[in-house]
Amino acid sequence: MPARNTLENKIIQNISRRFAQFFIKPLMSQDAVLREIKAVDSEHKKNLLSDGWRMHQLQKHLASKDHPYHKFSTGSWETLETKPKERGLDIRLELLKFYENYSANLMHLVVYGKESLDCIQSLVESLFSHVKNTDQISFKCPSQPLSAEHLQLLVKAIPIIEGNYLKISWPVTPNIQFYKEGPCRYLSHLIGHEGEGSIFHIIKELGWAMDLVAGAGSDSNEYSFFSVGMRLTDAGHDHMEDIIGLVFKYLHLLKEDGIHEWIFDELASINETEFHYQDKVHPISYVTATVSSMRLFPPEEWLVGESLPSKYAPNRINMILDELSPERVRILCESKKFEGSTNRAEPWYNTSYSIENVTPYMIKQWIQKAPTEKLYLPKPNIFVPKDLSLKEVPDKVTFPTILRKTPLSRLWYKPDMLFFTPKVYIIIDFHCPLSSHSPEAAVSTSLFVDLLVDYLNAYAYDAQIAGLFYSIYLTSTGFQVCVGGYNDKMRVLLHAIMKQIVNFVVKPNRFSALKETSVKDYQNFNFSQPYSQASYYLSLILEEKKWPLAEKLQALSKLESDSLAKFVPHLLSKTYLECYVQGNIEPGEAESIVQEIEDTIFNTPNSVFKPMSPSQYLVKRVIMLEKEIKCCYQIEGLNQKNENSSVVQYIQVHQDDALSNIKLELFSLISSQPAFNQLRTVEQLGYITYLSLRSDRGVWALEVVIQSTVKDPSYLDSRIDEFFKTFESKIHELSDKDFKRNVKSLIDSKLEKFKNLWEESGFYWGEIEAGTLKFDRVESEVALLRELKKEEFIEYFDEYIKVDAPQRRTVSVQVFSGNHSAEFKKAIAEADPPKTCRITDIFGFKRSRPLHRSLKGGPGLITMD
């Protein structure tokens, strides 16, 4: 690799030196401590209505009080400011005392770089050798946090969101102690399996559950929990005892049937292949994962960890299996159906719950009345790859090319020229113009996609275990099938998916279960974070054809299975396929795949699929905001119990253009950290605070997001404006040196190589999907950056971004919490300031605005030349 230049080395050394000083001589100034306490409290308030945090703390609350696991897991103003002061403690002094635990003998460091190991070692020794070694003893937890009084319990808790959730857990010996044998991995594979004969397959077919996850997890070498968690339907909630009985019935089957070496060997083979062909990840992810391994494993295992269980030890597996007993179980069930029947409250999040005893005798009764459908172990996995050879590619292909084009489809192809791995990535985009012309069509298409995934689950689950992943998801113009992983058995899976689409029928029992879940998901948007609500309203304002959630929920509530059965042939009667194939695959095979798909879905007798004419190609466009006008949409939050308010200020700048893009990216690079520092660190407005770029169908913009309990959205919006006003002088006074440094930083980030096939494919497919087709975007934008003058950049800022810029187009979406109801009433009663447009009717406003042009040409406008 090329060596870094002198300037790069100086920058890296300065950053490393500052990082090292955190551990050598941290400042911990009084004002910084106070700011951090406020940030922690803001984060805590964000989580108060999050069921994940609430249930996690409830599980901890129901543990031995003298065990560290029992403690409050984050922090708040009460724990870090109020209570310490009541006890006469200075929290800064306590932090300095706690810092004494940072001793070199307990610390680990990972440095990832281009330089030689000798060079990196020299850098580390020069910067980190002054970290004190006080020979501290590593803290050890006192074994398991659950005593007998915390087991054989059924905990019924009331969640914030709609839905029923069941979690069955046991304290077990940590898998980390036997990572070479991997007993918990073996058991989680079987208990969490989703193929035929599994727990999940049976309760899913009965209409009782929507998903199931099983496995062990722990933050410690001393204790661990094995859990089986699932989302239940309303019918599943009513059959909770039957489901628990079925789980124990399966555990009994595992004991009776014995431990199978072939299953262990199959998993070991899959794990070994996965490790050998693992994708490269971003350095920050790699170093954090590695440094965590160093705490748990001997040096020779630091880069492997527990990825490669290799010792078949049935006695270890049986040991964990014996621990999954009725005598050691604890069950947590979450449902709003428990409202009015709970008698306790967890102190930190005020989660309402009740406790009942569950004896082994009761579980024995539940086993007896569990479903009688036959449970059995999975069969050998047909998707385990055998051929991992690399294909010959005769010609070097730099960018995707169109290999094939018919009235039914278009195929884009790019062989793997970078990673040389036996993997492929395939996208089949079904462009269906009838998919979203009404709220009814939108929810019907969505449910059709959900049912497809549901039907495929039992068959395709083995593929995912073997490293061949697929997804089917809704798009704004239809739906998309993606397949990625080892190319060996890819066609088998892709063919099964296409056959499922062609032979689709509505199964009333699965329709009812998925509709129920989908309705609850829509309803649960009311409990989403306020900044997510603000982002939703912004999308509703910007996008030409986007149906409000309330209308979609109403349409979904009325949808019946026979209506969906009639809609699907209508949906598919106009279809065009945009196909993308990249990876370890020859061009002839790529063409063969698409031809087979065409034959499967278009050319079979009585096929409902019909070709779509170019005139029917559906495009979605973005409204054009008015220059020099600031639009404002103010609304109360959907959950007034949430203390957080939020603002999203959106500055629409330009449609995709290389020169404009680099100027906006450069401004974002220069301003994002100062915005965070001023609005979050200095002014302490809220934990969630950021400035970032966004692009909606090729329309580029800046957005600033703040979520806050301390100030109302109108005030937050004014502080964003004030930041831009203050920052104007920083832009105008930008030195040549700082300008060049930031330009170089942006160039470096653009020239950073793709880490894996999925990252590269995502970039190229993004160009195809957006219609921009700028496959050389990086090269062209870097060339422009090298020529960019500071004066041009400042001129761009003055023209489009600064508060009074002649081309500035802004909308501010403000969501008011119950805490700020008085401010909301005041805000909507105030007269509009000059150059302000108040949005009271989103759809009336959209109809009054022109649209940005679409960048998508459609199937008839791209030639094969």
Side-chain angles (χ1 to χ4, degrees):
M1 292 185 179
R4 290 190 174 97
N5 61 38
T6 305
L7 177 60
E8 285 178 314
N9 283 329
K10 285 183 177 178
I11 291 171
I12 289 167
Q13 286 181 16
N14 286 336
I15 293 171
S16 301
R17 186 174 292 109
R18 178 174 292 187
F19 180 69
Q21 288 300 313
F22 290 160
F23 307 99
I24 296 168
K25 197 173 182 180
L27 294 176
M28 294 195 194
S29 62
Q30 191 68 51
D31 61 328
V33 169
L34 184 60
R35 285 199 305 267
E36 189 58 28
I37 291 172
K38 289 180 178 179
V40 169
D41 185 63
S42 179
E43 183 180 13
H44 172 62
K45 287 177 177 174
K46 172 183 73 72
N47 298 332
L48 280 173
L49 300 181
S50 166
D51 282 327
W53 285 101
R54 292 164 67 86
M55 298 306 158
H56 177 61
Q57 188 60 45
L58 177 57
Q59 293 274 36
K60 288 159 66 68
H61 177 65
L62 299 174
S64 300
K65 288 183 170 57
D66 58 351
H67 196 285
Y69 177 78
H70 174 79
K71 295 180 182 292
F72 179 39
S73 59
T74 56
S76 66
W77 184 262
E78 180 187 2
T79 61
L80 297 173
E81 178 69 13
T82 306
K83 285 187 174 181
K85 278 190 173 179
E86 288 174 355
R87 294 162 55 196
L89 297 176
D90 183 324
I91 198 69
R92 179 177 179 272
L93 294 180
E94 294 301 312
L95 274 172
L96 291 171
K97 288 179 190 175
F98 185 78
Y99 163 68
E100 296 304 320
N101 292 302
Y102 283 79
S103 176
N105 69 302
L106 299 180
M107 299 168 72
H108 298 94
L109 175 69
V110 177
V111 179
Y112 183 118
K114 293 180 179 181
E115 292 75 15
S116 68
L117 289 178
D118 288 344
C119 181
I120 292 174
Q121 182 176 341
S122 176
L123 177 68
V124 168
E125 288 174 351
S126 68
L127 295 177
F128 291 90
S129 60
H130 296 296
V131 175
K132 293 179 183 177
N133 181 4
T134 56
D135 290 320
Q136 294 286 324
I137 298 172
S138 179
F139 174 78
K140 302 236 181 248
C141 286
S143 66
Q144 288 288 353
L146 304 186
S147 58
E149 64 180 295
H150 305 115
L151 301 174
Q152 297 184 33
L153 297 181
L154 170 60
V155 182
K156 297 180 177 179
I158 301 174
I160 297 295
I161 66 172
E162 295 291 338
N164 311 293
Y165 297 87
L166 176 65
K167 187 172 186 177
I168 308 166
S169 58
W170 301 262
V172 295
T173 305
N175 192 72
I176 200 75
Q177 295 180 13
F178 310 107
Y179 63 92
K180 285 292 187 183
E181 293 90 344
C184 287
R185 183 173 289 211
Y186 177 96
L187 291 171
S188 63
H189 167 68
L190 296 176
I191 298 169
H193 207 279
E194 299 181 16
E196 292 183 0
S198 66
I199 299 168
F200 178 67
H201 188 257
I202 289 174
I203 58 178
K204 190 193 87 165
E205 290 301 306
L206 290 168
W208 293 354
M210 301 307 299
D211 59 40
L212 184 148
V213 178
S218 172
D219 297 327
S220 166
N221 214 351
E222 286 76 40
Y223 67 90
S224 182
F225 304 99
F226 191 101
S227 299
V228 182
M230 55 199 89
R231 182 178 183 177
L232 306 180
T233 61
D234 287 343
H237 175 81
D238 294 339
H239 287 274
M240 181 181 66
E241 294 176 0
D242 301 336
I243 293 171
I244 297 168
L246 189 69
V247 170
F248 277 99
K249 196 173 178 180
Y250 191 80
L251 296 176
H252 182 71
L253 167 69
L254 295 181
K255 290 181 180 180
E256 289 291 306
D257 210 47
I259 310 304
H260 292 265
E261 188 169 6
W262 75 264
I263 295 178
F264 180 88
D265 289 343
E266 182 180 89
L267 285 173
S269 172
I270 290 170
N271 293 331
E272 186 175 349
T273 303
E274 181 183 3
F275 183 82
H276 185 71
Y277 293 106
Q278 63 183 297
D279 296 315
K280 192 174 183 180
V281 298
H282 285 270
I284 188 65
S285 301
Y286 187 78
V287 296
T288 51
T290 305
V291 84
S292 298
S293 288
M294 293 169 73
R295 184 173 60 88
L296 300 170
F297 302 102
E300 65 272 16
E301 305 288 355
W302 283 349
L303 300 183
V304 178
E306 56 183 340
S307 302
L308 297 175
S310 55
K311 294 181 181 177
Y312 176 61
N315 59 319
R316 296 294 188 201
I317 299 171
N318 278 317
M319 178 191 75
I320 300 294
L321 190 54
D322 287 341
E323 292 178 334
L324 307 184
S325 67
E327 290 79 12
R328 297 168 55 82
V329 75
R330 184 159 81 178
I331 302 162
L332 171 65
C333 189
E334 308 168 42
S335 177
K336 288 197 170 183
K337 294 177 183 289
F338 298 135
E339 287 178 340
S341 62
T342 57
N343 55 6
R344 305 186 187 200
E346 188 277 321
W348 295 108
Y349 292 85
N350 200 34
T351 304
S352 297
Y353 71 99
S354 63
I355 294 177
E356 299 174 13
N357 291 320
V358 176
T359 65
Y361 176 74
M362 292 169 65
I363 288 177
K364 185 177 179 180
Q365 291 181 309
W366 296 350
I367 292 172
Q368 290 172 351
K369 70 187 191 79
T372 56
E373 283 80 357
K374 185 172 176 58
L375 291 163
Y376 53 87
L377 299 183
K379 298 173 182 176
N381 192 333
I382 64 168
F383 288 101
V384 175
K386 299 289 190 288
D387 180 5
L388 296 168
S389 62
L390 297 180
K391 309 287 186 181
E392 291 288 336
V393 180
D395 301 316
K396 184 174 182 180
V397 180
T398 306
F399 299 127
T401 57
I402 297 177
L403 269 191
R404 182 178 185 277
K405 184 177 176 184
T406 74
L408 307 177
S409 69
R410 178 169 55 212
L411 167 61
W412 296 86
Y413 166 77
K414 185 184 183 303
D416 175 19
M417 307 296 296
L418 281 178
F419 308 107
F420 306 106
T421 183
K423 296 180 181 180
V424 69
Y425 187 59
I426 296 176
I427 297 173
I428 312 296
D429 185 76
F430 287 72
H431 189 99
C432 304
L434 300 176
S435 63
S436 58
H437 63 275
S438 67
E440 290 76 14
V443 298
S444 296
T445 305
S446 178
L447 202 51
F448 161 66
V449 168
D450 289 345
L451 284 166
L452 278 176
V453 174
D454 185 79
Y455 296 168
L456 283 161
N457 188 70
Y459 175 78
Y461 183 76
D462 269 347
Q464 296 186 65
I465 291 173
L468 187 56
F469 302 95
Y470 81 100
S471 62
I472 308 174
Y473 55 89
L474 198 66
T475 67
S476 61
T477 55
F479 64 99
Q480 203 167 97
V481 175
C482 298
V483 181
Y486 305 114
N487 53 273
D488 183 29
K489 305 294 176 64
M490 174 274 306
R491 288 190 77 159
V492 177
L493 176 61
L494 190 58
H495 180 72
I497 294 171
M498 294 303 147
K499 292 294 287 185
Q500 187 66 69
I501 294 171
V502 169
N503 298 324
F504 179 83
V505 293
V506 178
K507 300 176 184 177
N509 65 323
R510 297 311 300 152
F511 170 86
S512 298
L514 270 78
K515 175 184 171 181
E516 176 193 308
T517 302
S518 188
V519 165
K520 288 178 180 177
D521 288 342
Y522 277 115
Q523 292 170 337
N524 286 335
F525 183 74
N526 291 346
F527 305 105
S528 63
Q529 292 286 351
Y531 80 94
S532 298
Q533 296 177 28
S535 182
Y536 157 72
Y537 291 122
L538 177 59
S539 296
L540 206 57
I541 290 167
L542 293 176
E543 295 187 27
E544 176 192 14
K545 294 176 182 176
K546 185 177 178 73
W547 307 112
L549 291 176
E551 291 183 15
K552 290 165 76 174
L553 176 58
Q554 184 180 28
L556 181 61
S557 300
K558 295 178 180 177
L559 184 65
E560 299 298 336
S561 59
D562 57 345
S563 302
L564 181 62
K566 293 174 184 175
F567 170 79
V568 171
H570 176 67
L571 166 73
L572 302 177
S573 66
K574 299 182 190 303
T575 301
Y576 184 79
L577 305 181
E578 190 87 73
C579 308
Y580 182 80
V581 177
Q582 179 171 343
N584 186 42
I585 187 167
E586 295 168 344
E589 187 179 2
E591 291 188 74
S592 170
I593 287 169
V594 175
Q595 181 63 62
E596 183 180 320
I597 291 172
E598 278 192 13
D599 291 342
T600 301
I601 67 174
F602 286 107
N603 301 330
T604 53
N606 304 316
S607 172
V608 298
F609 282 87
K610 305 296 177 190
M612 180 194 75
S613 63
S615 65
Q616 296 168 325
Y617 197 82
L618 182 66
V619 294
K620 298 292 183 77
R621 297 161 70 188
V622 173
I623 70 154
M624 185 182 294
L625 297 174
E626 189 171 349
K627 60 186 178 182
E628 294 190 277
I629 297 293
K630 183 174 186 178
C631 302
C632 185
Y633 181 68
Q634 296 167 317
I635 191 169
E636 290 182 292
L638 296 172
N639 178 17
Q640 287 290 286
K641 291 180 180 178
N642 193 318
E643 297 179 7
N644 292 278
S645 291
S646 185
V647 64
V648 176
Q649 187 178 120
Y650 168 92
I651 305 167
Q652 191 177 78
V653 187
H654 65 267
Q655 198 152 20
D656 188 67
D657 168 79
L659 186 56
S660 298
N661 293 351
I662 62 168
K663 293 174 183 176
L664 191 61
E665 287 177 302
L666 185 59
F667 176 78
S668 176
L669 176 69
I670 293 171
S671 62
S672 56
Q673 194 280 330
F676 179 87
N677 181 64
Q678 178 62 35
L679 300 172
R680 184 186 187 273
T681 306
V682 177
E683 298 188 36
Q684 292 284 298
L685 295 178
Y687 178 76
I688 296 175
T689 301
Y690 60 86
L691 180 154
S692 66
L693 290 173
R694 67 178 279 167
S695 176
D696 300 87
R697 309 192 191 284
V699 177
W700 285 54
L702 285 169
E703 70 173 0
V704 185
V705 177
I706 306 177
Q707 181 166 291
S708 176
T709 58
V710 296
K711 296 293 182 181
D712 71 275
S714 295
Y715 179 85
L716 301 176
D717 188 62
S718 71
R719 297 314 301 162
I720 294 171
D721 285 345
E722 188 58 35
F723 166 76
F724 279 107
K725 290 175 184 176
T726 304
F727 202 66
E728 184 178 337
S729 62
K730 300 286 194 304
I731 295 295
H732 286 172
E733 296 166 8
L734 193 65
S735 69
D736 291 342
K737 181 181 178 182
D738 284 342
F739 175 75
K740 289 176 181 178
R741 177 175 55 81
N742 281 288
V743 166
K744 185 182 184 311
S745 178
L746 184 55
I747 288 173
D748 289 346
S749 69
K750 285 182 174 292
L751 292 178
E752 188 176 337
K753 293 180 179 178
F754 296 117
K755 296 292 182 293
N756 51 58
L757 183 67
W758 327 121
E759 208 174 87
E760 185 186 24
S761 300
F763 171 79
Y764 290 128
W765 174 250
E767 293 291 333
I768 295 167
E769 195 170 37
T772 46
L773 304 180
K774 294 179 181 176
F775 300 133
D776 64 344
R777 179 181 296 274
V778 170
E779 294 81 0
S780 62
E781 292 186 352
V782 164
L784 289 169
L785 271 168
R786 296 190 195 282
E787 300 298 322
L788 183 66
K789 301 291 188 291
K790 185 178 74 171
E791 293 72 24
E792 294 177 71
F793 172 68
I794 294 173
E795 183 181 323
Y796 176 85
F797 171 80
D798 289 342
E799 185 74 10
Y800 292 97
I801 299 172
K802 75 175 187 178
V803 171
D804 297 321
Q807 296 292 332
R808 199 179 207 253
R809 306 166 190 265
T810 312
V811 61
S812 172
V813 178
Q814 302 173 13
V815 175
F816 289 75
S817 70
N819 276 9
H820 299 129
S821 57
E823 289 88 343
F824 173 71
K825 291 172 183 174
K826 179 183 176 184
I828 60 174
E830 287 177 341
D832 294 344
K835 294 189 175 182
T836 301
C837 169
R838 187 188 300 272
I839 302 173
T840 54
D841 174 6
I842 289 178
F843 301 99
F845 173 77
K846 286 164 73 168
R847 286 191 290 268
S848 72
R849 298 302 309 150
L851 299 169
H852 281 280
R853 66 184 178 86
S854 171
L855 298 174
K856 288 187 74 88
L861 300 182
I862 298 176
T863 68
M864 294 178 67
D865 299 330

Coordinates of all heavy atoms in Angstrom, one line a residue, residues 11 40 70 166 178 189 204 242 288 308 315 325 347 393 402 552 569 626-627 635 645 732 754 758 766 817 819 836 849:
I11 N -1.3 14.5 11.1 CA -2.7 14.5 11.6 C -3.0 13.2 12.4 O -3.7 13.3 13.5 CB -3.7 14.6 10.3 CG1 -3.5 15.9 9.7 CG2 -5.1 14.3 10.8 CD1 -4.3 16.1 8.3
V40 N -26.5 12.5 29.2 CA -26.9 11.2 29.7 C -28.4 11.3 30.1 O -29.2 10.4 29.8 CB -26.1 10.7 30.9 CG1 -26.7 9.5 31.5 CG2 -24.6 10.4 30.4
H70 N -28.3 -6.3 38.9 CA -29.5 -5.7 39.3 C -29.6 -4.2 39.1 O -30.6 -3.6 39.1 CB -29.7 -6.0 40.8 CG -30.9 -5.3 41.5 ND1 -32.2 -5.8 41.4 CD2 -30.9 -4.2 42.3 CE1 -33.0 -5.0 42.1 NE2 -32.3 -4.1 42.6
L166 N -43.4 -12.8 24.1 CA -43.1 -13.8 25.1 C -41.7 -14.1 25.1 O -41.0 -14.3 24.0 CB -43.9 -15.1 24.7 CG -43.7 -16.3 25.6 CD1 -44.1 -16.1 27.0 CD2 -44.4 -17.6 25.0
F178 N -16.8 -22.4 27.0 CA -16.6 -23.6 26.2 C -16.8 -23.2 24.7 O -17.5 -23.8 24.0 CB -17.7 -24.6 26.5 CG -17.8 -24.9 28.0 CD1 -18.9 -24.5 28.8 CD2 -16.8 -25.6 28.7 CE1 -19.0 -24.8 30.1 CE2 -16.9 -25.9 30.0 CZ -18.0 -25.5 30.8
H189 N -29.3 -23.2 17.4 CA -29.6 -23.5 16.0 C -30.9 -24.4 15.9 O -31.7 -24.2 15.1 CB -28.4 -24.3 15.4 CG -28.7 -25.0 14.2 ND1 -28.9 -24.4 13.0 CD2 -28.8 -26.4 13.9 CE1 -29.2 -25.3 12.0 NE2 -29.1 -26.5 12.5
K204 N -46.4 -20.9 14.1 CA -46.8 -20.0 13.0 C -48.0 -20.5 12.2 O -48.9 -19.8 11.9 CB -45.5 -19.8 12.0 CG -45.7 -18.7 11.0 CD -44.7 -18.7 9.9 CE -45.1 -19.7 8.8 NZ -44.4 -19.5 7.6
D242 N -49.9 -23.1 26.0 CA -49.7 -24.1 25.0 C -48.3 -23.9 24.3 O -47.6 -24.9 24.0 CB -50.8 -24.1 23.9 CG -52.1 -24.3 24.5 OD1 -52.2 -24.9 25.6 OD2 -53.1 -23.9 23.9
T288 N -13.2 -2.4 17.1 CA -14.0 -2.6 18.3 C -14.4 -4.0 18.6 O -14.4 -4.5 19.7 CB -15.3 -1.7 18.2 OG1 -16.0 -2.0 17.0 CG2 -15.0 -0.2 18.2
L308 N -15.5 -20.3 15.5 CA -15.2 -21.6 14.9 C -15.2 -22.7 16.0 O -14.2 -23.3 16.3 CB -13.8 -21.6 14.3 CG -13.6 -20.6 13.1 CD1 -12.2 -20.6 12.6 CD2 -14.6 -21.0 11.9
N315 N -21.3 -34.0 25.9 CA -21.5 -33.8 27.3 C -21.8 -32.3 27.6 O -22.6 -32.0 28.5 CB -20.4 -34.4 28.1 CG -19.0 -33.7 27.7 OD1 -18.8 -33.5 26.5 ND2 -18.2 -33.5 28.7
S325 N -34.4 -26.2 32.2 CA -35.4 -27.0 32.9 C -36.5 -26.2 33.5 O -36.4 -25.0 33.7 CB -34.7 -27.8 34.1 OG -34.3 -26.9 35.1
P347 N -39.0 0.6 39.3 CA -38.8 2.0 39.8 C -38.2 2.9 38.8 O -38.5 4.1 38.8 CB -37.8 1.8 41.0 CG -37.2 0.5 40.8 CD -38.2 -0.4 40.1
V393 N -13.4 -14.5 -15.8 CA -14.0 -13.4 -16.5 C -13.0 -12.9 -17.6 O -11.9 -12.4 -17.3 CB -14.2 -12.2 -15.4 CG1 -14.8 -11.0 -16.1 CG2 -15.1 -12.7 -14.3
I402 N -25.3 -3.0 -19.7 CA -26.6 -3.7 -20.0 C -26.3 -4.9 -20.9 O -25.8 -4.7 -22.0 CB -27.6 -2.7 -20.7 CG1 -28.0 -1.6 -19.8 CG2 -28.8 -3.5 -21.2 CD1 -28.8 -0.5 -20.4
K552 N -53.8 4.8 5.2 CA -53.3 3.4 5.0 C -53.9 2.5 6.1 O -54.3 1.4 5.8 CB -51.8 3.4 4.9 CG -51.3 4.0 3.6 CD -49.8 4.3 3.7 CE -49.0 3.1 3.5 NZ -47.5 3.4 3.4
P569 N -53.6 -10.3 -9.0 CA -53.5 -10.4 -10.4 C -53.5 -9.1 -11.1 O -52.9 -8.8 -12.1 CB -54.7 -11.3 -10.8 CG -55.0 -12.1 -9.6 CD -54.7 -11.1 -8.4
E626 N -40.3 27.0 -2.5 CA -40.1 28.4 -3.1 C -38.9 29.0 -2.5 O -38.7 29.0 -1.3 CB -41.4 29.2 -2.8 CG -41.4 30.6 -3.5 CD -42.7 31.3 -3.4 OE1 -43.7 30.6 -2.9 OE2 -42.8 32.4 -3.7
K627 N -38.1 29.7 -3.4 CA -36.9 30.3 -2.9 C -37.2 31.6 -2.0 O -38.2 32.2 -2.2 CB -36.0 30.7 -4.0 CG -36.5 31.7 -5.0 CD -35.6 31.8 -6.2 CE -36.2 32.8 -7.3 NZ -35.3 32.9 -8.4
I635 N -47.2 20.8 14.6 CA -48.2 19.8 15.0 C -47.8 19.2 16.3 O -46.7 19.2 16.7 CB -48.3 18.7 13.9 CG1 -49.5 17.8 14.1 CG2 -47.0 17.8 13.8 CD1 -49.8 16.9 13.0
S645 N -39.9 16.9 22.4 CA -40.3 17.6 21.2 C -39.2 17.5 20.1 O -38.1 17.1 20.5 CB -40.6 19.1 21.5 OG -41.7 19.3 22.3
H732 N -16.8 32.6 5.6 CA -16.2 33.7 4.9 C -14.7 33.9 5.4 O -13.9 34.4 4.6 CB -17.0 35.0 5.2 CG -18.2 35.1 4.4 ND1 -19.2 36.1 4.6 CD2 -18.8 34.3 3.5 CE1 -20.2 35.9 3.8 NE2 -20.0 34.8 3.1
F754 N -14.3 0.4 -1.8 CA -15.5 -0.4 -1.3 C -14.9 -1.6 -0.4 O -13.9 -2.2 -0.8 CB -16.3 -1.0 -2.5 CG -16.9 0.0 -3.3 CD1 -16.6 0.1 -4.7 CD2 -17.9 0.9 -2.8 CE1 -17.2 1.0 -5.5 CE2 -18.5 1.8 -3.6 CZ -18.2 1.9 -5.0
W758 N -21.2 -6.2 -1.3 CA -22.5 -5.6 -1.1 C -22.4 -4.0 -1.1 O -23.4 -3.4 -1.6 CB -23.1 -6.0 0.3 CG -22.7 -7.4 0.6 CD1 -22.0 -7.8 1.7 CD2 -22.9 -8.6 -0.1 NE1 -21.8 -9.2 1.7 CE2 -22.3 -9.7 0.6 CE3 -23.6 -8.9 -1.3 CZ2 -22.4 -11.0 0.1 CZ3 -23.6 -10.2 -1.8 CH2 -23.0 -11.2 -1.1
G766 N -27.7 1.9 -6.6 CA -28.3 3.2 -6.3 C -28.3 4.1 -7.5 O -29.3 4.9 -7.6
S817 N -44.4 18.3 22.1 CA -44.8 17.3 23.1 C -45.8 17.9 24.0 O -46.0 19.1 24.0 CB -43.5 16.8 23.9 OG -43.1 17.9 24.7
N819 N -45.3 18.4 27.1 CA -44.5 19.4 27.9 C -44.6 20.8 27.3 O -44.4 21.7 28.1 CB -43.0 18.9 28.0 CG -42.8 17.9 29.0 OD1 -43.8 17.4 29.6 ND2 -41.5 17.6 29.3
T836 N -42.5 34.0 5.3 CA -42.8 32.7 5.9 C -44.1 32.2 5.4 O -45.1 33.0 5.2 CB -42.9 32.9 7.5 OG1 -41.6 33.4 8.0 CG2 -43.2 31.5 8.1
R849 N -47.5 23.5 -5.5 CA -46.1 23.7 -5.8 C -45.7 22.9 -7.0 O -46.3 21.8 -7.3 CB -45.3 23.1 -4.6 CG -45.4 23.8 -3.3 CD -45.1 25.3 -3.4 NE -43.8 25.5 -4.0 CZ -43.5 26.6 -4.7 NH1 -44.4 27.6 -4.9 NH2 -42.3 26.8 -5.3

